[in-house]
Amino acid sequence: MAIYKILDILVDNAMLMIDVIDESLESLEDDILAGEIEEEAVQKNIYNARRTLNRISKLFIQETDIINKIYHNLDSKTKKELKYEFGDLKEHAKFLINESKTLLDRTGYLLNMHMGMLSNRMNQAMQRLAAISIIFMPLTFIVGNYGMNFDNMPELHTKHGYFIVTGVNIVVAFFIFIWLKRKKWI
């Protein structure tokens, strides 16, 4: 029967599309984990996969209804002859619906994974900025004290006072840098 052949071809082609989408999602996952893909490309690929999977799911929900209507409108002799074929079509359509929903969930997981990795990168950048701020905070305090116009600071009237304060600043910055290095902030 020609209608069965057409429906079978549609189902088989959709199964190939599901396989292609599955492989592309695996590739996308590898690229996300390796950090080899741009953020915009990841979001576009995930969006396109989600849109395609939604369309496949909706299409095969409708196709299942069409298969049922066609089968129930056949005469009893043809129903007996094509009973297993139409049963096979229904099973494949259910498989496609379930598989597209599973892959749709996977795209959500990939999007969450991508956003998590972006968040981690942002946190690392903020951590480095905080580390730089920690290094310069005590130096700013020391410089601020010496920026006041007081005459009775001992280093002001010493021959090497400027070099002593500069040396203290360098030592403080060095020890803070070493401490941050041990904490793996830098």
Side-chain angles (χ1 to χ4, degrees), residues 8-166:
D8 190 42
I9 290 170
L10 287 173
V11 169
D12 289 343
N13 284 336
M15 291 180 103
L16 290 175
M17 283 187 349
I18 289 287
D19 289 340
V20 167
I21 292 172
D22 187 29
E23 289 172 10
S24 68
L25 289 179
E26 285 180 17
S27 173
L28 185 61
E29 184 175 11
D30 292 340
D31 290 344
I32 290 171
L33 287 173
E36 297 175 351
I37 192 166
E38 294 180 19
E39 297 170 27
E40 189 175 323
V42 169
Q43 291 175 355
K44 276 184 181 179
N45 290 342
I46 290 174
Y47 170 75
N48 288 333
R50 289 182 70 86
R51 186 174 58 187
T52 303
L53 290 167
N54 274 326
R55 287 179 180 168
I56 289 172
S57 180
K58 288 178 184 177
L59 177 71
F60 279 94
I61 288 171
Q62 293 171 351
E63 189 165 319
T64 302
D65 290 339
I66 292 169
I67 291 170
N68 286 332
K69 286 178 183 176
I70 291 172
Y71 182 72
H72 291 301
N73 287 331
L74 295 175
D75 59 44
S76 59
K77 180 183 175 191
T78 310
K79 272 187 187 180
K80 283 183 181 180
E81 290 175 5
L82 298 175
K83 177 181 178 181
Y84 296 109
E85 286 82 358
F86 274 89
D88 188 49
L89 281 176
K90 288 179 195 177
E91 288 299 317
H92 285 163
K94 285 180 186 177
F95 170 79
L96 286 170
I97 293 166
N98 290 334
E99 192 67 18
S100 63
K101 288 181 180 180
T102 301
L103 290 176
L104 198 58
D105 291 342
R106 189 169 173 199
T107 60
Y109 156 76
L110 286 175
L111 193 57
N112 287 338
M113 183 177 75
H114 175 64
M115 291 300 169
M117 292 183 77
L118 287 178
S119 177
N120 284 343
R121 274 193 260 156
M122 181 69 75
N123 288 341
Q124 289 171 350
M126 294 304 291
Q127 190 176 26
R128 286 189 185 99
L129 286 173
I132 292 169
S133 298
I134 289 171
I135 290 172
F136 285 103
M137 196 178 310
L139 302 178
T140 304
F141 176 74
I142 294 169
V143 169
N145 282 333
Y146 281 94
M148 294 183 216
N149 293 325
F150 293 114
D151 195 33
N152 56 355
M153 290 183 159
E155 293 84 11
L156 288 179
H157 300 293
T158 311
K159 183 177 181 182
H160 300 291
Y162 172 77
F163 298 110
I164 292 170
V165 172
T166 303

